[in-house]
Amino acid sequence: MIEPWMSADDIAEHLGVTKHTIYGWINDRSMPAHKIGRLWKFKASEVDEWVRTGGAAVVEEDDEK
């Protein structure tokens, strides 16, 4: 079976985050996304692998005092 393309709204719901977060991850963290015309489309399997390998991990900065 062919995996369907997902919209930004769909992938945001899949991950439990906002669409704003998705667009930030595309720009700042190289989230796997494909631009088709003016729309971003996603494959859930690619995004899930990106998350599993730490792509969405929060990087905490060390406080220098």
Side-chain angles (χ1 to χ4, degrees), residues 21-57:
T21 298
I22 297 298
Y23 292 131
W25 284 346
I26 292 169
N27 290 325
D28 300 336
R29 300 192 184 173
S30 301
M31 180 182 200
H34 307 270
K35 191 135 190 194
I36 301 173
R38 293 176 49 193
L39 302 174
W40 286 102
K41 295 294 182 175
F42 307 84
K43 293 285 186 173
S45 61
E46 292 176 359
V47 173
D48 289 344
E49 180 63 23
W50 176 78
V51 170
R52 275 193 293 277
T53 59

Side-chain angles (χ1 to χ4, degrees), residues 1-22:
M1 180 177 202
I2 297 174
E3 181 180 3
W5 289 99
M6 299 177 76
S7 69
D9 286 325
D10 294 335
I11 207 70
E13 184 176 333
H14 175 72
L15 295 176
V17 298
T18 66
K19 189 164 58 169
H20 179 77
T21 298
I22 297 298

